[in-house]
Amino acid sequence: MTTPRPLRLIYVDHAATTPPRPCALAAMDHAARTLPGNPSSLHAPGRAAADALEAARATIAACLGAHPDEVVLTSGGTEADDLALRAVAAMGAAAGKRHILASPLEHPAVRRTLEALADEGFSVEYLPVTQAGGEVCSGYVRAEDVAASLRPDTALVAVMYASNELGSVQPIAEIGRVCRAAGVPLHTDAVQAVGHIPVDFSACPADTLALSAHKFGGPRGVGALLVRRGLPLCPRLRGGGQEKGRRAGTENLPGVAGMAAALQEAVETLPIEMARLKALRARLVDGLTATIPGAVCNGGNPHAAPTKALPGLLSLTVPGVDAEALVYRLDAVGVAASAGSACAAGSPDPSPALLALGYDPETAMGTLRLSLGQDNTDAEVEYLLSILPPLVADLRGDAIAADRYAPAPPENLSRR
Ligand code: PLP
């Protein structure tokens, strides 16, 4: 008997990218068809495009508690991170400060820019995080460690809002207060947080905050950097001086319209969707840790308040299993998941974030990420709970063959 496939693909890789929301597609289509002008042009089509761009910017700002002039539109999260880090580091260097503090959990969009800055003479220091197997949940930066590590020559602190690999939501408000008190700018990569948990820039003591549309049902290739009023942002692209001279290039109006529509819908439905996903994640955590011997949930445990976790992201370390092999086995039965971080897929090296939790490299390579989203149902979660333990047992070489134990797929896997 072979493992039965579900009636449709079960997509549990929303942290990699989310399916576009219909409202985003409609907004993009409308902008592409009806607003052909360049927002920088003086004529009527140009002015109509500029008006639509500013309306979308105002929507994005309102959803995130920012002023419209604090929103710098970019090509996505990677560019927003790089723009912020380079600009703030340059300001520090101009004042003779070349020390950078960062969390070890950062996405390559931050980590690689920090590596480049290190090559250019900055000293980059990584903060400790709470460890796997400890009494508290793993994968959290402590504000007191930031305070203890700040130096007179610290140019900037970079701590992501929520981890794309672990789902841990960092105490950004506390960390930001520590940075403010020391007069050190804080950059936060909020790419996995925006649209998934409440993010209010007006109440968040970060100076720059990166977001990306395709993580909340918007299009790929568009994002933004929120930049606190009064912070001068040295551009990477100078060109035609768009975005008030902070990021040149003709604006991607359809993309920005899609991002605004997706963000507005995500924010409006946030309380209901957060509660729904949180319950699904808790069911997965409880079910999988009870049925897969040795499996450990990383990031926030759903039952361990007050540490916070992204509602839909589950990181599970399964000792004795190669998570990439597990991902291929899941793929073969119609489940799209990921091993650790999708951005590091295919890499022979374990992710720095998982090593920072204290895992040895082999155990770290056994980390599976299931990231739930709008389209996932209770029935899909039950199906995952039924197929994962035998697949793991099979990969571990246990006598139990996955095929023999895989149950029939749930009857109702229709889209919500
Ligand atoms: N930061 C985090 C935390 C991410 O998860 C990602 C994408 O996976 C990025 C940055 C990069 O964003 P983008 O794909 O829009 O460049």
Side-chain angles (χ1 to χ4, degrees), residues 256-309:
V256 173
M259 171 161 67
L263 183 59
Q264 188 162 30
E265 187 177 273
V267 167
E268 280 167 7
T269 54
L270 205 58
I272 291 173
E273 194 56 5
M274 276 177 67
R276 194 183 74 82
L277 292 179
K278 211 173 150 191
L280 290 182
R281 177 180 182 273
R283 174 91 185 98
L284 274 176
V285 172
D286 291 347
L288 295 177
T289 51
T291 54
I292 300 178
V296 176
C297 162
N298 304 307
N301 183 301
H303 307 296
T307 44
K308 286 192 278 171

mmCIF file of all heavy atoms in Angstrom, residues 256-309:
data_model
loop_
_atom_site.group_PDB
_atom_site.id
_atom_site.type_symbol
_atom_site.label_atom_id
_atom_site.label_comp_id
_atom_site.label_asym_id
_atom_site.label_seq_id
_atom_site.Cartn_x
_atom_site.Cartn_y
_atom_site.Cartn_z
ATOM 1 N N VAL A 256 2.740 48.086 -5.246
ATOM 2 C CA VAL A 256 2.466 48.831 -4.006
ATOM 3 C C VAL A 256 0.959 48.818 -3.711
ATOM 4 O O VAL A 256 0.540 48.672 -2.550
ATOM 5 C CB VAL A 256 3.007 50.275 -4.124
ATOM 6 C CG1 VAL A 256 2.593 51.112 -2.918
ATOM 7 C CG2 VAL A 256 4.526 50.267 -4.273
ATOM 8 N N ALA A 257 0.141 48.935 -4.764
ATOM 9 C CA ALA A 257 -1.323 48.881 -4.558
ATOM 10 C C ALA A 257 -1.713 47.516 -4.004
ATOM 11 O O ALA A 257 -2.549 47.409 -3.094
ATOM 12 C CB ALA A 257 -2.045 49.160 -5.881
ATOM 13 N N GLY A 258 -1.096 46.455 -4.534
ATOM 14 C CA GLY A 258 -1.374 45.099 -4.043
ATOM 15 C C GLY A 258 -0.922 44.933 -2.609
ATOM 16 O O GLY A 258 -1.611 44.311 -1.791
ATOM 17 N N MET A 259 0.227 45.506 -2.292
ATOM 18 C CA MET A 259 0.738 45.410 -0.912
ATOM 19 C C MET A 259 -0.226 46.108 0.048
ATOM 20 O O MET A 259 -0.545 45.573 1.126
ATOM 21 C CB MET A 259 2.136 46.054 -0.830
ATOM 22 C CG MET A 259 2.664 46.213 0.588
ATOM 23 S SD MET A 259 4.452 46.437 0.695
ATOM 24 C CE MET A 259 4.713 48.034 -0.051
ATOM 25 N N ALA A 260 -0.693 47.294 -0.324
ATOM 26 C CA ALA A 260 -1.595 48.049 0.567
ATOM 27 C C ALA A 260 -2.904 47.292 0.790
ATOM 28 O O ALA A 260 -3.389 47.182 1.923
ATOM 29 C CB ALA A 260 -1.867 49.430 -0.029
ATOM 30 N N ALA A 261 -3.459 46.733 -0.301
ATOM 31 C CA ALA A 261 -4.734 46.004 -0.171
ATOM 32 C C ALA A 261 -4.556 44.772 0.719
ATOM 33 O O ALA A 261 -5.387 44.486 1.597
ATOM 34 C CB ALA A 261 -5.249 45.598 -1.551
ATOM 35 N N ALA A 262 -3.460 44.032 0.497
ATOM 36 C CA ALA A 262 -3.213 42.818 1.285
ATOM 37 C C ALA A 262 -3.005 43.163 2.753
ATOM 38 O O ALA A 262 -3.531 42.492 3.648
ATOM 39 C CB ALA A 262 -1.991 42.079 0.742
ATOM 40 N N LEU A 263 -2.252 44.237 3.005
ATOM 41 C CA LEU A 263 -1.957 44.592 4.400
ATOM 42 C C LEU A 263 -3.235 45.023 5.121
ATOM 43 O O LEU A 263 -3.478 44.633 6.273
ATOM 44 C CB LEU A 263 -0.894 45.706 4.439
ATOM 45 C CG LEU A 263 -0.445 46.124 5.834
ATOM 46 C CD1 LEU A 263 0.134 44.957 6.614
ATOM 47 C CD2 LEU A 263 0.608 47.240 5.742
ATOM 48 N N GLN A 264 -4.047 45.802 4.421
ATOM 49 C CA GLN A 264 -5.289 46.265 5.055
ATOM 50 C C GLN A 264 -6.175 45.072 5.440
ATOM 51 O O GLN A 264 -6.681 44.998 6.562
ATOM 52 C CB GLN A 264 -6.042 47.171 4.092
ATOM 53 C CG GLN A 264 -7.226 47.843 4.738
ATOM 54 C CD GLN A 264 -7.704 49.042 3.944
ATOM 55 O OE1 GLN A 264 -7.573 49.077 2.724
ATOM 56 N NE2 GLN A 264 -8.249 50.027 4.620
ATOM 57 N N GLU A 265 -6.296 44.120 4.517
ATOM 58 C CA GLU A 265 -7.132 42.951 4.826
ATOM 59 C C GLU A 265 -6.516 42.124 5.955
ATOM 60 O O GLU A 265 -7.203 41.664 6.864
ATOM 61 C CB GLU A 265 -7.315 42.079 3.581
ATOM 62 C CG GLU A 265 -8.295 40.955 3.806
ATOM 63 C CD GLU A 265 -8.536 40.131 2.557
ATOM 64 O OE1 GLU A 265 -9.416 40.502 1.762
ATOM 65 O OE2 GLU A 265 -7.833 39.100 2.371
ATOM 66 N N ALA A 266 -5.193 41.955 5.905
ATOM 67 C CA ALA A 266 -4.522 41.152 6.947
ATOM 68 C C ALA A 266 -4.728 41.789 8.321
ATOM 69 O O ALA A 266 -5.014 41.094 9.301
ATOM 70 C CB ALA A 266 -3.032 41.036 6.635
ATOM 71 N N VAL A 267 -4.601 43.113 8.376
ATOM 72 C CA VAL A 267 -4.730 43.804 9.671
ATOM 73 C C VAL A 267 -6.180 43.752 10.166
ATOM 74 O O VAL A 267 -6.436 43.533 11.348
ATOM 75 C CB VAL A 267 -4.194 45.248 9.546
ATOM 76 C CG1 VAL A 267 -4.587 46.099 10.726
ATOM 77 C CG2 VAL A 267 -2.665 45.224 9.394
ATOM 78 N N GLU A 268 -7.126 43.913 9.238
ATOM 79 C CA GLU A 268 -8.542 43.886 9.645
ATOM 80 C C GLU A 268 -8.949 42.510 10.187
ATOM 81 O O GLU A 268 -9.780 42.406 11.071
ATOM 82 C CB GLU A 268 -9.437 44.257 8.453
ATOM 83 C CG GLU A 268 -9.491 45.759 8.233
ATOM 84 C CD GLU A 268 -10.112 46.142 6.884
ATOM 85 O OE1 GLU A 268 -10.627 45.255 6.171
ATOM 86 O OE2 GLU A 268 -10.040 47.322 6.548
ATOM 87 N N THR A 269 -8.380 41.456 9.628
ATOM 88 C CA THR A 269 -8.789 40.103 10.044
ATOM 89 C C THR A 269 -7.840 39.516 11.096
ATOM 90 O O THR A 269 -7.991 38.351 11.481
ATOM 91 C CB THR A 269 -8.828 39.158 8.817
ATOM 92 O OG1 THR A 269 -7.560 39.229 8.157
ATOM 93 C CG2 THR A 269 -9.910 39.546 7.836
ATOM 94 N N LEU A 270 -6.901 40.318 11.554
ATOM 95 C CA LEU A 270 -5.834 39.816 12.432
ATOM 96 C C LEU A 270 -6.332 39.116 13.706
ATOM 97 O O LEU A 270 -5.912 37.974 13.969
ATOM 98 C CB LEU A 270 -4.899 40.975 12.800
ATOM 99 C CG LEU A 270 -3.476 40.616 13.187
ATOM 100 C CD1 LEU A 270 -2.780 39.859 12.087
ATOM 101 C CD2 LEU A 270 -2.689 41.881 13.497
ATOM 102 N N PRO A 271 -7.218 39.724 14.491
ATOM 103 C CA PRO A 271 -7.588 39.066 15.754
ATOM 104 C C PRO A 271 -8.178 37.674 15.537
ATOM 105 O O PRO A 271 -7.795 36.717 16.217
ATOM 106 C CB PRO A 271 -8.631 40.020 16.354
ATOM 107 C CG PRO A 271 -8.377 41.333 15.690
ATOM 108 C CD PRO A 271 -7.852 41.027 14.323
ATOM 109 N N ILE A 272 -9.065 37.545 14.561
ATOM 110 C CA ILE A 272 -9.709 36.246 14.322
ATOM 111 C C ILE A 272 -8.693 35.241 13.783
ATOM 112 O O ILE A 272 -8.603 34.096 14.235
ATOM 113 C CB ILE A 272 -10.878 36.422 13.327
ATOM 114 C CG1 ILE A 272 -11.993 37.215 14.015
ATOM 115 C CG2 ILE A 272 -11.391 35.081 12.814
ATOM 116 C CD1 ILE A 272 -13.121 37.603 13.124
ATOM 117 N N GLU A 273 -7.897 35.688 12.826
ATOM 118 C CA GLU A 273 -6.945 34.771 12.193
ATOM 119 C C GLU A 273 -5.848 34.345 13.168
ATOM 120 O O GLU A 273 -5.415 33.191 13.176
ATOM 121 C CB GLU A 273 -6.366 35.470 10.943
ATOM 122 C CG GLU A 273 -5.627 34.589 9.982
ATOM 123 C CD GLU A 273 -6.409 33.387 9.434
ATOM 124 O OE1 GLU A 273 -7.611 33.237 9.706
ATOM 125 O OE2 GLU A 273 -5.764 32.568 8.760
ATOM 126 N N MET A 274 -5.422 35.284 14.014
ATOM 127 C CA MET A 274 -4.391 34.927 15.007
ATOM 128 C C MET A 274 -4.900 33.827 15.943
ATOM 129 O O MET A 274 -4.194 32.862 16.228
ATOM 130 C CB MET A 274 -4.015 36.158 15.850
ATOM 131 C CG MET A 274 -2.982 37.046 15.203
ATOM 132 S SD MET A 274 -2.654 38.509 16.201
ATOM 133 C CE MET A 274 -1.881 37.799 17.633
ATOM 134 N N ALA A 275 -6.126 33.985 16.408
ATOM 135 C CA ALA A 275 -6.679 32.995 17.348
ATOM 136 C C ALA A 275 -6.826 31.643 16.663
ATOM 137 O O ALA A 275 -6.511 30.590 17.242
ATOM 138 C CB ALA A 275 -8.029 33.485 17.868
ATOM 139 N N ARG A 276 -7.274 31.667 15.411
ATOM 140 C CA ARG A 276 -7.473 30.409 14.671
ATOM 141 C C ARG A 276 -6.139 29.691 14.463
ATOM 142 O O ARG A 276 -5.993 28.490 14.746
ATOM 143 C CB ARG A 276 -8.137 30.715 13.318
ATOM 144 C CG ARG A 276 -8.699 29.525 12.592
ATOM 145 C CD ARG A 276 -9.261 29.938 11.238
ATOM 146 N NE ARG A 276 -8.209 30.230 10.282
ATOM 147 C CZ ARG A 276 -7.556 29.321 9.572
ATOM 148 N NH1 ARG A 276 -7.874 28.045 9.682
ATOM 149 N NH2 ARG A 276 -6.602 29.666 8.729
ATOM 150 N N LEU A 277 -5.130 30.440 13.999
ATOM 151 C CA LEU A 277 -3.822 29.820 13.723
ATOM 152 C C LEU A 277 -3.138 29.359 15.007
ATOM 153 O O LEU A 277 -2.474 28.326 15.037
ATOM 154 C CB LEU A 277 -2.913 30.793 12.963
ATOM 155 C CG LEU A 277 -3.346 31.105 11.527
ATOM 156 C CD1 LEU A 277 -2.391 32.091 10.880
ATOM 157 C CD2 LEU A 277 -3.428 29.835 10.688
ATOM 158 N N LYS A 278 -3.319 30.145 16.061
ATOM 159 C CA LYS A 278 -2.702 29.783 17.341
ATOM 160 C C LYS A 278 -3.234 28.425 17.812
ATOM 161 O O LYS A 278 -2.473 27.570 18.295
ATOM 162 C CB LYS A 278 -3.052 30.865 18.370
ATOM 163 C CG LYS A 278 -2.010 31.074 19.416
ATOM 164 C CD LYS A 278 -2.353 32.272 20.273
ATOM 165 C CE LYS A 278 -1.783 32.016 21.657
ATOM 166 N NZ LYS A 278 -2.227 32.923 22.664
ATOM 167 N N ALA A 279 -4.523 28.221 17.646
ATOM 168 C CA ALA A 279 -5.125 26.943 18.058
ATOM 169 C C ALA A 279 -4.599 25.798 17.191
ATOM 170 O O ALA A 279 -4.289 24.709 17.687
ATOM 171 C CB ALA A 279 -6.649 27.032 17.975
ATOM 172 N N LEU A 280 -4.466 26.047 15.879
ATOM 173 C CA LEU A 280 -3.955 24.997 14.990
ATOM 174 C C LEU A 280 -2.500 24.664 15.346
ATOM 175 O O LEU A 280 -2.097 23.499 15.378
ATOM 176 C CB LEU A 280 -4.024 25.447 13.518
ATOM 177 C CG LEU A 280 -5.415 25.571 12.884
ATOM 178 C CD1 LEU A 280 -5.287 25.971 11.417
ATOM 179 C CD2 LEU A 280 -6.192 24.268 12.992
ATOM 180 N N ARG A 281 -1.724 25.707 15.637
ATOM 181 C CA ARG A 281 -0.315 25.477 15.970
ATOM 182 C C ARG A 281 -0.197 24.702 17.296
ATOM 183 O O ARG A 281 0.608 23.773 17.415
ATOM 184 C CB ARG A 281 0.427 26.818 16.077
ATOM 185 C CG ARG A 281 1.883 26.683 16.497
ATOM 186 C CD ARG A 281 2.541 28.041 16.583
ATOM 187 N NE ARG A 281 3.938 27.953 16.931
ATOM 188 C CZ ARG A 281 4.416 27.899 18.177
ATOM 189 N NH1 ARG A 281 3.584 27.928 19.209
ATOM 190 N NH2 ARG A 281 5.708 27.812 18.392
ATOM 191 N N ALA A 282 -1.017 25.074 18.261
ATOM 192 C CA ALA A 282 -0.968 24.383 19.557
ATOM 193 C C ALA A 282 -1.320 22.905 19.378
ATOM 194 O O ALA A 282 -0.698 22.022 19.976
ATOM 195 C CB ALA A 282 -1.929 25.049 20.538
ATOM 196 N N ARG A 283 -2.277 22.645 18.509
ATOM 197 C CA ARG A 283 -2.671 21.244 18.248
ATOM 198 C C ARG A 283 -1.485 20.484 17.630
ATOM 199 O O ARG A 283 -1.203 19.341 17.991
ATOM 200 C CB ARG A 283 -3.876 21.267 17.296
ATOM 201 C CG ARG A 283 -4.326 19.918 16.801
ATOM 202 C CD ARG A 283 -5.376 19.290 17.695
ATOM 203 N NE ARG A 283 -5.692 17.933 17.244
ATOM 204 C CZ ARG A 283 -5.176 16.822 17.769
ATOM 205 N NH1 ARG A 283 -4.330 16.878 18.772
ATOM 206 N NH2 ARG A 283 -5.506 15.640 17.291
ATOM 207 N N LEU A 284 -0.784 21.136 16.703
ATOM 208 C CA LEU A 284 0.378 20.492 16.071
ATOM 209 C C LEU A 284 1.496 20.263 17.085
ATOM 210 O O LEU A 284 2.102 19.195 17.123
ATOM 211 C CB LEU A 284 0.921 21.380 14.935
ATOM 212 C CG LEU A 284 0.289 21.241 13.556
ATOM 213 C CD1 LEU A 284 0.887 22.269 12.606
ATOM 214 C CD2 LEU A 284 0.478 19.831 12.990
ATOM 215 N N VAL A 285 1.785 21.288 17.889
ATOM 216 C CA VAL A 285 2.870 21.168 18.877
ATOM 217 C C VAL A 285 2.561 20.007 19.821
ATOM 218 O O VAL A 285 3.394 19.108 20.030
ATOM 219 C CB VAL A 285 3.044 22.477 19.688
ATOM 220 C CG1 VAL A 285 4.033 22.270 20.837
ATOM 221 C CG2 VAL A 285 3.520 23.612 18.789
ATOM 222 N N ASP A 286 1.349 19.995 20.383
ATOM 223 C CA ASP A 286 0.992 18.952 21.352
ATOM 224 C C ASP A 286 1.012 17.576 20.696
ATOM 225 O O ASP A 286 1.572 16.626 21.247
ATOM 226 C CB ASP A 286 -0.409 19.217 21.937
ATOM 227 C CG ASP A 286 -0.411 20.455 22.825
ATOM 228 O OD1 ASP A 286 0.683 20.927 23.171
ATOM 229 O OD2 ASP A 286 -1.508 20.945 23.147
ATOM 230 N N GLY A 287 0.413 17.489 19.507
ATOM 231 C CA GLY A 287 0.294 16.187 18.842
ATOM 232 C C GLY A 287 1.651 15.644 18.426
ATOM 233 O O GLY A 287 1.953 14.476 18.655
ATOM 234 N N LEU A 288 2.482 16.504 17.829
ATOM 235 C CA LEU A 288 3.755 15.996 17.291
ATOM 236 C C LEU A 288 4.765 15.703 18.398
ATOM 237 O O LEU A 288 5.509 14.725 18.318
ATOM 238 C CB LEU A 288 4.333 16.989 16.267
ATOM 239 C CG LEU A 288 3.480 17.157 14.997
ATOM 240 C CD1 LEU A 288 4.075 18.217 14.072
ATOM 241 C CD2 LEU A 288 3.343 15.828 14.245
ATOM 242 N N THR A 289 4.794 16.539 19.451
ATOM 243 C CA THR A 289 5.754 16.251 20.525
ATOM 244 C C THR A 289 5.325 15.011 21.322
ATOM 245 O O THR A 289 6.156 14.328 21.901
ATOM 246 C CB THR A 289 5.963 17.463 21.468
ATOM 247 O OG1 THR A 289 4.692 17.930 21.894
ATOM 248 C CG2 THR A 289 6.705 18.587 20.788
ATOM 249 N N ALA A 290 4.027 14.703 21.282
ATOM 250 C CA ALA A 290 3.565 13.505 22.000
ATOM 251 C C ALA A 290 3.794 12.225 21.203
ATOM 252 O O ALA A 290 3.969 11.151 21.777
ATOM 253 C CB ALA A 290 2.077 13.637 22.332
ATOM 254 N N THR A 291 3.827 12.339 19.874
ATOM 255 C CA THR A 291 3.886 11.103 19.064
ATOM 256 C C THR A 291 5.231 10.875 18.383
ATOM 257 O O THR A 291 5.474 9.789 17.868
ATOM 258 C CB THR A 291 2.789 11.132 17.971
ATOM 259 O OG1 THR A 291 2.944 12.358 17.232
ATOM 260 C CG2 THR A 291 1.400 11.050 18.566
ATOM 261 N N ILE A 292 6.092 11.900 18.345
ATOM 262 C CA ILE A 292 7.415 11.703 17.735
ATOM 263 C C ILE A 292 8.445 11.723 18.862
ATOM 264 O O ILE A 292 8.721 12.788 19.443
ATOM 265 C CB ILE A 292 7.729 12.803 16.690
ATOM 266 C CG1 ILE A 292 6.685 12.767 15.575
ATOM 267 C CG2 ILE A 292 9.138 12.625 16.143
ATOM 268 C CD1 ILE A 292 6.860 13.837 14.514
ATOM 269 N N PRO A 293 9.014 10.578 19.208
ATOM 270 C CA PRO A 293 9.947 10.546 20.332
ATOM 271 C C PRO A 293 11.109 11.518 20.124
ATOM 272 O O PRO A 293 11.716 11.556 19.054
ATOM 273 C CB PRO A 293 10.445 9.090 20.334
ATOM 274 C CG PRO A 293 9.377 8.324 19.616
ATOM 275 C CD PRO A 293 8.790 9.258 18.606
ATOM 276 N N GLY A 294 11.376 12.322 21.142
ATOM 277 C CA GLY A 294 12.522 13.240 21.113
ATOM 278 C C GLY A 294 12.268 14.565 20.400
ATOM 279 O O GLY A 294 13.130 15.438 20.392
ATOM 280 N N ALA A 295 11.091 14.747 19.786
ATOM 281 C CA ALA A 295 10.838 15.984 19.030
ATOM 282 C C ALA A 295 10.718 17.173 19.989
ATOM 283 O O ALA A 295 10.093 17.068 21.043
ATOM 284 C CB ALA A 295 9.562 15.851 18.211
ATOM 285 N N VAL A 296 11.356 18.289 19.605
ATOM 286 C CA VAL A 296 11.371 19.486 20.462
ATOM 287 C C VAL A 296 10.812 20.670 19.679
ATOM 288 O O VAL A 296 11.206 20.913 18.531
ATOM 289 C CB VAL A 296 12.828 19.828 20.894
ATOM 290 C CG1 VAL A 296 12.873 21.113 21.703
ATOM 291 C CG2 VAL A 296 13.430 18.679 21.682
ATOM 292 N N CYS A 297 9.906 21.398 20.304
ATOM 293 C CA CYS A 297 9.358 22.610 19.679
ATOM 294 C C CYS A 297 10.278 23.782 20.000
ATOM 295 O O CYS A 297 10.562 24.049 21.167
ATOM 296 C CB CYS A 297 7.950 22.854 20.227
ATOM 297 S SG CYS A 297 7.332 24.509 19.970
ATOM 298 N N ASN A 298 10.784 24.471 18.962
ATOM 299 C CA ASN A 298 11.637 25.648 19.182
ATOM 300 C C ASN A 298 10.785 26.911 19.204
ATOM 301 O O ASN A 298 9.657 26.911 18.726
ATOM 302 C CB ASN A 298 12.673 25.755 18.067
ATOM 303 C CG ASN A 298 13.495 24.498 17.940
ATOM 304 O OD1 ASN A 298 14.063 24.027 18.931
ATOM 305 N ND2 ASN A 298 13.563 23.940 16.741
ATOM 306 N N GLY A 299 11.381 28.007 19.701
ATOM 307 C CA GLY A 299 10.615 29.251 19.772
ATOM 308 C C GLY A 299 9.603 29.138 20.894
ATOM 309 O O GLY A 299 9.749 28.309 21.792
ATOM 310 N N GLY A 300 8.574 29.923 20.833
ATOM 311 C CA GLY A 300 7.606 29.959 21.931
ATOM 312 C C GLY A 300 6.732 28.719 21.985
ATOM 313 O O GLY A 300 6.148 28.312 20.994
ATOM 314 N N ASN A 301 6.652 28.125 23.162
ATOM 315 C CA ASN A 301 5.728 27.016 23.369
ATOM 316 C C ASN A 301 4.333 27.608 23.600
ATOM 317 O O ASN A 301 4.201 28.569 24.345
ATOM 318 C CB ASN A 301 6.182 26.216 24.602
ATOM 319 C CG ASN A 301 5.321 25.004 24.830
ATOM 320 O OD1 ASN A 301 4.111 25.107 25.019
ATOM 321 N ND2 ASN A 301 5.948 23.848 24.809
ATOM 322 N N PRO A 302 3.293 27.064 22.953
ATOM 323 C CA PRO A 302 1.963 27.688 23.084
ATOM 324 C C PRO A 302 1.451 27.742 24.515
ATOM 325 O O PRO A 302 0.572 28.527 24.837
ATOM 326 C CB PRO A 302 1.067 26.807 22.217
ATOM 327 C CG PRO A 302 1.816 25.559 21.954
ATOM 328 C CD PRO A 302 3.267 25.887 22.089
ATOM 329 N N HIS A 303 2.006 26.898 25.402
ATOM 330 C CA HIS A 303 1.490 26.874 26.773
ATOM 331 C C HIS A 303 2.397 27.617 27.747
ATOM 332 O O HIS A 303 2.190 27.558 28.947
ATOM 333 C CB HIS A 303 1.304 25.428 27.216
ATOM 334 C CG HIS A 303 0.482 24.651 26.233
ATOM 335 N ND1 HIS A 303 -0.837 24.947 25.960
ATOM 336 C CD2 HIS A 303 0.802 23.624 25.407
ATOM 337 C CE1 HIS A 303 -1.288 24.131 25.026
ATOM 338 N NE2 HIS A 303 -0.316 23.323 24.675
ATOM 339 N N ALA A 304 3.439 28.260 27.243
ATOM 340 C CA ALA A 304 4.402 28.895 28.145
ATOM 341 C C ALA A 304 4.353 30.414 28.023
ATOM 342 O O ALA A 304 5.214 31.020 27.420
ATOM 343 C CB ALA A 304 5.811 28.378 27.859
ATOM 344 N N ALA A 305 3.324 31.017 28.584
ATOM 345 C CA ALA A 305 3.258 32.481 28.616
ATOM 346 C C ALA A 305 4.346 32.959 29.578
ATOM 347 O O ALA A 305 4.725 32.203 30.469
ATOM 348 C CB ALA A 305 1.892 32.905 29.100
ATOM 349 N N PRO A 306 4.897 34.139 29.487
ATOM 350 C CA PRO A 306 4.479 35.175 28.561
ATOM 351 C C PRO A 306 5.322 35.237 27.284
ATOM 352 O O PRO A 306 5.208 36.192 26.534
ATOM 353 C CB PRO A 306 4.700 36.429 29.397
ATOM 354 C CG PRO A 306 5.924 36.109 30.207
ATOM 355 C CD PRO A 306 5.894 34.631 30.448
ATOM 356 N N THR A 307 6.189 34.254 27.015
ATOM 357 C CA THR A 307 6.963 34.324 25.775
ATOM 358 C C THR A 307 6.002 34.229 24.596
ATOM 359 O O THR A 307 5.016 33.496 24.641
ATOM 360 C CB THR A 307 7.981 33.175 25.698
ATOM 361 O OG1 THR A 307 7.339 32.000 26.097
ATOM 362 C CG2 THR A 307 9.193 33.456 26.531
ATOM 363 N N LYS A 308 6.326 34.958 23.551
ATOM 364 C CA LYS A 308 5.375 35.040 22.454
ATOM 365 C C LYS A 308 5.897 34.349 21.199
ATOM 366 O O LYS A 308 7.090 34.354 20.928
ATOM 367 C CB LYS A 308 5.088 36.505 22.150
ATOM 368 C CG LYS A 308 4.202 37.140 23.219
ATOM 369 C CD LYS A 308 3.698 38.479 22.765
ATOM 370 C CE LYS A 308 4.736 39.549 22.994
ATOM 371 N NZ LYS A 308 4.435 40.817 22.405
ATOM 372 N N ALA A 309 4.973 33.764 20.450
ATOM 373 C CA ALA A 309 5.346 33.083 19.216
ATOM 374 C C ALA A 309 4.438 33.555 18.086
ATOM 375 O O ALA A 309 3.301 33.955 18.326
ATOM 376 C CB ALA A 309 5.190 31.581 19.394
#
